[in-house]
Amino acid sequence: MIHLISVKTWVHCILLSPVQVANNLMDMDQDPRKRLCFADGRRKVDYVLVYHYRKRSSVRGSPSQHRLSIISNGSYPLGVEEKDPEGGKDEPAEVVVDVEPLDPADGEKIMIREEFEGNLKDAGLEIECDKENKAHGHAFIRLHAPWQVLSREAEFLKIKVPTKKVRHSRAPSESQDKPELLHDEWARYGAFYKYQPVDLIRKYFGEKIGLYFAWLGVYTQLLIPASVVGIIVFFYGWATVETNIPSQEMCDEDQNFTMCPLCDRACDYWHLSTACGTARASHLFDNPATVFFAIFMSVWAAMFLEHWKRRQISLNYSWDLTGMEEEEVRSHMNTVTLCYSLITITLNVVLPSQSGHEKLTWRDRLPGYLINISSILFMFGVTCSAVFSVIIYRITISALMAMSPDPEVKSNVRVTVTATAVIINLVVILILDEIYGMVAAWLTELEIPKTETNFEERLILKAFLLKFMNAYAPIFYVAFFKGRFAGHPGDYVYVFNDYRMEECAPGGCLIELCIQLSIIMLGKQLIQNNIFEIGIPKLKKLCRTLKDKERAPKEIVEQPGRRQQWHLDYDLEPFDGLTPEYMEMIIQFGFVSLFVASFPLAPLFALLNNVIEIRLDAKKFVTELRRPDAIRAKDIGIWYNILSGLGKFSVIINAFVISFTSDFIPRLVYQYMYSETGTMHGFINHTLSYFNVSNFKPGTVPSISSLGKDVTFCRYKDYREPPWSTEPYQFSKQYWSVLAARLGFVILFQNLVITMSMLVAWVIPDVPKNISEQLKKEKTLLVDVFLNEEKEK
Amino acid sequence: MIHLISVKTWVHCILLSPVQVANNLMDMDQDPRKRLCFADGRRKVDYVLVYHYRKRSSVRGSPSQHRLSIISNGSYPLGVEEKDPEGGKDEPAEVVVDVEPLDPADGEKIMIREEFEGNLKDAGLEIECDKENKAHGHAFIRLHAPWQVLSREAEFLKIKVPTKKVRHSRAPSESQDKPELLHDEWARYGAFYKYQPVDLIRKYFGEKIGLYFAWLGVYTQLLIPASVVGIIVFFYGWATVETNIPSQEMCDEDQNFTMCPLCDRACDYWHLSTACGTARASHLFDNPATVFFAIFMSVWAAMFLEHWKRRQISLNYSWDLTGMEEEEVRSHMNTVTLCYSLITITLNVVLPSQSGHEKLTWRDRLPGYLINISSILFMFGVTCSAVFSVIIYRITISALMAMSPDPEVKSNVRVTVTATAVIINLVVILILDEIYGMVAAWLTELEIPKTETNFEERLILKAFLLKFMNAYAPIFYVAFFKGRFAGHPGDYVYVFNDYRMEECAPGGCLIELCIQLSIIMLGKQLIQNNIFEIGIPKLKKLCRTLKDKERAPKEIVEQPGRRQQWHLDYDLEPFDGLTPEYMEMIIQFGFVSLFVASFPLAPLFALLNNVIEIRLDAKKFVTELRRPDAIRAKDIGIWYNILSGLGKFSVIINAFVISFTSDFIPRLVYQYMYSETGTMHGFINHTLSYFNVSNFKPGTVPSISSLGKDVTFCRYKDYREPPWSTEPYQFSKQYWSVLAARLGFVILFQNLVITMSMLVAWVIPDVPKNISEQLKKEKTLLVDVFLNEEKEK
């Protein structure tokens, strides 16, 4: 009983397709049917198990040695084993001990393996083993499941879902795997415009992977309208930039606002009209259409979730999952999967007492939880300090560059600093992303969750939290914090006593947010797609083959013509689960929904990425990975909750972006409260406060200035009382009224959008009409059948 | 086929308990078993149908006459009938025509009845009819369902839920109705402290009513902690009223704020210290603990919903409803209910083509929808104008009373006006409530919903909308609008050119809101409980018996000893459905959740009401109503959605009440932004603006004044610039900063509470642990059974 953890790790299952494997297309000239049979050439290979062995001599080990090996295997107390009547202790001591005394656990493993093989035989499976004729290497155990065994298994699985019996009486059928078809119809870029053959995918890879691709399909499809609207919004900004009064006023050289210097001493006063370019650019993203777009996208997110729910129910119906309960996630209906389920059941026969061990009290769990919480907080700290370091980098570099005598350098300060900082951010994000993935896995193991599903959910939640924060922290900073702690002329905020806190560009923070967003989003997608998904697996494979060649060059030479399909498949990358795939998409969904108010082109970029991503993933699944075990699943699990949580979170984030980051509200307030003409004329003047240059602290006045002598007042972007008021440089009434308007807008926007989303969710029925009609028809049929039977009596 | 609507209305079913009826306890001395048998004394009466007849002679009607009667029956075109092969047209014309030619539809009815009786016989039921020996009266058809028929029916119903078979194999058992037990254990006030015997209730009344009482029980139980916390909050206010600085300052006669007059000409300036009483009272409800209580109650609402979900799942499990799908709401498992289901099935045999008729296009439905929308808008208008009329009443009466020379009258203005106005409001609400109930039913019939469930849902939604608005409109007015459109001295808002818009009492609007809430809530509960639920039914019964006696005094004399149980039961009130019961509770839930920030004692009053209400309803169900048909239901249906919607709505309402109606935010802002000492001293002065009395419009200055000559400035409650500023009487900077703080608080409160509620919903698992363990155990058992069977093979 004790050894089961090692049994689990020992069973590296490679799942072979029973007819033909598409993963390696090199051996196509051989008759595939012959290759995948037992030595007798008749019995089909349904499943292959593999283990690593070292050459050994059969020696009778003494029981004490045996026990020793158990103790060294883990930290289980001996008492437990003694209670166990089936334990290895009292069995005949025919124990095969490894020749290498360094690893006494190997003897254990062999014993367990033999017990396990015996169990498989008891379950009715037929086994063919490789001969271990080399010093060490991989041995393959091929399994064949006779028809009766499969039938019994299918019956057994069906007893749990007897309602299904009436609908479709499915016997274990010859599985209709058609990997070539999948390859042609799905796993190539040429098919990008086609719907995915979801049913085929499900047949070959199982429900869980089928659902992932179906979900990805629905998401990508719904990105199309979002992209179209995004493009329209963008072009609306582009078309109205010429007629936009605020940006005209900013570019108008006659207005001639003399602005306060952007840094101490080294910087000069400057004219606002020099920032004309950013003002115009910012209008592209900061116009009334953006507000509409933010509302649209929030409703879009709700629609997407509803649409997916419907699709899921359709799939559940057509894949016959409607009656499935959670416990049955491992039930399967074709040869391969039936066989797999038999194996897991055989494994589980020895498992029950294991679960007794796992009943841990909260005392046992407490340290794990504490480590968890503190680690997560620590990671939060790491992310924040990473963001802060980049801020420091930006502040210092721009200060240094501003002090440079070279005018060329000076003029490019902002562009250079912003670009390099964003790239640094991106690199940090990518590195931390990998680290956080590993940390999340480690932390979840500490928690010792009870079931596989439980483990997965906790892992996903943790990984999501860490990765989300990692990806979005710099963006949050730019959106909501940058420039808000910079102080005002005469009372600037300094970090490290020397460097002034950074401010946003004169065009507003929105344009910086937009740059930040687009670079991180595009960079993350391009780099993760190309390097992490294609490059690194290839590199890993290369390493492995090199290693294998180094270690065992003889064997390969020894049997050159005898490399079977399972040898080829074993060389492929193992399947790591769907978590990374989902995670990538969910983080992307965050880009599309969270800050969409500042970057209406995000859906378009996401769409372009996904069209490629689908085929990339398809190729990977069909040709580069070992065929994953088909796992039955009704839904996409916790990912749905994360999606729905993100959708809700995006509402409040967009509300804040529109009201605090963009100039939408100040413009509205000016137009309806302060403007004398009711137009936007004079808006720029209204947003700029006055500063009396004589109030500069000593040492902060521009040292060399072309305008210096004429300037008595310089302007800065803020709503503060002028120097001649009774409370100079305090927040003005305008400030408070704009603030109230901003907050009021947040409330209005949030509640409006929540209500609309709820309406959308309420109006769109969860069960598609054709499905509900179909169900009704089936029920009527059932009643008819019964009535007929009744009559015949 | 055409006549089915009339069949439906014809079948007034009285459901009799097969063993004994508790509703009328007067005939207990007779042997109950004998009374409820067929004339042969052996066959049990399982169900009784009743119809009203008039004495008639059997006459052969000509087919043309017959057709005429059909045409007069409705507006169906003849063509439809001609298509119908089973239609009455070509049948032998053995039609029984009524002697009274006034009602030709009666002949139809008789024909239908006979067809229906035939169908019942075909279905295996045995029938005993009363002889129609009087001129007219009620005839009872007694049904007996033989054992085989019931078994078949039970089998038939079970085929839809075959998973259940393994768990409990229930044959149609002798029903275990124990109405006396119900009466003793449940339907008496003495048992108020006990849990309800929900299982018994369900057995006797069916799942739907069982769920209602279970829900009511959970709600009442959860009101206990809410009441306790509410009482603590109230006592906190009561204990701190002496140390509260703002109310001390208001009562301090040395401060001597001279306030601007409350009405034009007739009113004098007054000292703020005279409003000391209301200030102290208002502290009882407007203190920091209220904010905590509002948060607590929002989380409480989320908890209540979660708790109910769990209870519902437990009940579903123990009542064996887990596998039930929506279509099967009419399947039953004991004798009576099986019998009832047989009858409905027999009815439905003739129904299918009916559904063909009902397939209406949107063109057919459009007028109905239009009438619906316009009627609902009209009702909204009615409610609003009712509220507005009461406002006008208040304004005019207080103006008139203020002008009265009698000082007694003058001093009581506010109390008299408020009290009478609230009572008028209450009466209007109660009257409109009844009207709206009828309007909702009428409107829903116009929509021609497809199914019974659909009809009920639409009706409930409409009735809820109308009644909710009706009950809450005056409260919303006081909470959010009263006093906000009154203007300020020198620029008051007038209605009808003469009357100043009303303001809140000097203690703040919260105390008025509190009075309004408590009177409407208590009044509605007391009056609806006592008059509508007890008084009116008794009155109705009295009327009916009087009428019956008038109409047919002979018959009763004729057969004095022969009044059977079904005659007694027929005299009881018919059951109207659960909608009014639920509606009353949901409106109460609104009082408990929506404005709880202003009235922390609401849960206590609700609790007291419900403890009585449960027993009142119980008594009504057991002794005063005909036994309702047992209807199977899995959940409380749309009421859950309404509850959850109310819960969400309450968050934003409470946020607004705290930030806009109470003085919580202004106090905070004063303390942290404006107070020089960091304490609340000077708060009252800060909230009062100055008005220069020379700026009064001519004719609005107090005519007789004891203070008039000394006053140059009077004060009023608002944040406006003083007369000596550059923008006199404009909103001051304080106004905007307080507004921003109020709005900020709303955002903070709403998002905090939403997050907490989501956390609560996430942390509390939907399926109680014991149930999920039980389910797991059953599954293991199932597997074992299967494995054993497998071995035996």
Side-chain angles (χ1 to χ4, degrees), chain A residues 205-274:
Chain A
F205 290 114
E207 280 79 6
K208 203 170 178 185
I209 292 173
L211 276 174
Y212 165 68
F213 282 104
W215 175 81
L216 190 54
V218 168
Y219 171 49
T220 306
Q221 205 182 334
L222 275 173
L223 277 174
I224 297 173
S227 312
V228 171
V229 178
I231 293 170
I232 292 171
V233 167
F234 182 76
F235 275 104
Y236 170 82
W238 191 71
T240 54
V241 72
E242 291 303 324
T243 56
N244 182 249
I245 296 168
S247 55
Q248 274 178 351
E249 279 187 347
M250 262 187 98
C251 295
D252 187 358
E253 288 181 25
D254 300 339
Q255 298 246 9
N256 211 16
F257 298 109
T258 306
M259 303 295 290
C260 298
L262 291 169
C263 64
D264 292 352
R265 243 192 351 266
C267 303
D268 194 5
Y269 303 105
W270 54 287
H271 285 299
L272 190 61
S273 53
T274 55

Side-chain angles (χ1 to χ4, degrees), chain A residues 152 156 750-751 786 790, chain B residues 152 156 750-751 786 790:
Chain A
R152 190 198 60 190
F156 177 62
Q750 193 185 4
N751 287 291
F786 179 80
E790 193 64 21
Chain B
R152 190 199 60 189
F156 178 61
Q750 193 185 5
N751 287 290
F786 178 80
E790 194 63 22

Side-chain angles (χ1 to χ4, degrees), chain A residues 637-745:
Chain A
I638 198 169
W639 295 112
Y640 184 84
N641 303 349
I642 291 180
L643 271 179
S644 130
L646 265 184
K648 277 177 193 143
F649 191 49
S650 77
V651 176
I652 185 88
I653 294 296
N654 276 314
F656 273 100
V657 167
I658 292 173
S659 63
F660 282 91
T661 316
S662 89
D663 269 348
F664 177 69
I665 300 295
R667 270 185 255 132
L668 272 190
V669 171
Y670 176 75
Q671 189 161 4
Y672 294 107
M673 264 180 75
Y674 295 104
S675 171
E676 278 156 23
T677 56
T679 62
M680 291 302 296
H681 289 288
F683 172 68
I684 297 294
N685 186 27
H686 184 255
T687 59
L688 298 176
S689 299
Y690 287 91
F691 181 72
N692 189 332
V693 295
S694 63
N695 294 341
F696 267 128
K697 281 184 185 157
T700 61
V701 188
S703 50
I704 314 145
S705 169
S706 53
L707 300 158
K709 267 124 219 169
D710 313 327
V711 176
T712 48
F713 294 111
C714 68
R715 310 290 293 269
Y716 59 101
K717 205 184 174 204
D718 210 341
Y719 292 102
R720 287 180 183 272
E721 298 281 354
W724 55 84
S725 91
T726 49
E727 297 170 313
Y729 310 130
Q730 292 303 300
F731 285 123
S732 65
K733 200 194 277 188
Q734 279 85 326
Y735 172 82
W736 292 109
S737 57
V738 168
L739 183 63
R742 287 182 198 269
L743 290 165
F745 178 81

Side-chain angles (χ1 to χ4, degrees), chain A residues 152 155-156 159-163 325 327-328 450 461 641 648 652 656 673-674 721 727 730-733 736-737 739-741 743-744 746-747 750-751 754 758 762 769 773 776 779 782-783 786-787 790, chain B residues 152 155-156 159-163 325 327-328 359 450 461 641 648 652 656 673-674 721 727 730-733 736-737 739-741 743-744 746-747 750-751 754 758 762 769 776 779 782-783 786-787 790:
Chain A
R152 190 198 60 190
E155 271 304 308
F156 177 62
I159 208 178
K160 295 184 191 168
V161 277
T163 26
E325 284 163 51
E327 307 284 314
E328 303 162 34
K450 272 184 196 157
L461 213 63
N641 303 349
K648 277 177 193 143
I652 185 88
F656 273 100
M673 264 180 75
Y674 295 104
E721 298 281 354
E727 297 170 313
Q730 292 303 300
F731 285 123
S732 65
K733 200 194 277 188
W736 292 109
S737 57
L739 183 63
L743 290 165
V746 170
I747 297 173
Q750 193 185 4
N751 287 291
I754 288 179
M758 285 200 319
W762 187 63
K769 211 173 177 185
E773 272 170 12
K776 222 176 261 172
K779 201 153 269 166
L782 193 76
V783 172
F786 179 80
L787 286 178
E790 193 64 21
Chain B
R152 190 199 60 189
E155 272 302 308
F156 178 61
I159 207 177
K160 295 184 191 167
V161 276
T163 27
E325 284 163 53
E327 306 285 312
E328 303 163 35
K359 213 153 208 179
K450 272 186 195 156
L461 214 63
N641 303 350
K648 276 176 195 144
I652 184 89
F656 272 100
M673 262 181 77
Y674 294 104
E721 298 281 353
E727 296 171 313
Q730 291 303 299
F731 285 122
S732 64
K733 200 194 277 187
W736 292 109
S737 58
L739 182 64
L743 291 165
V746 170
I747 297 174
Q750 193 185 5
N751 287 290
I754 288 180
M758 284 199 320
W762 186 63
K769 211 174 177 187
K776 221 175 263 173
K779 200 152 270 168
L782 193 77
V783 171
F786 178 80
L787 286 178
E790 194 63 22

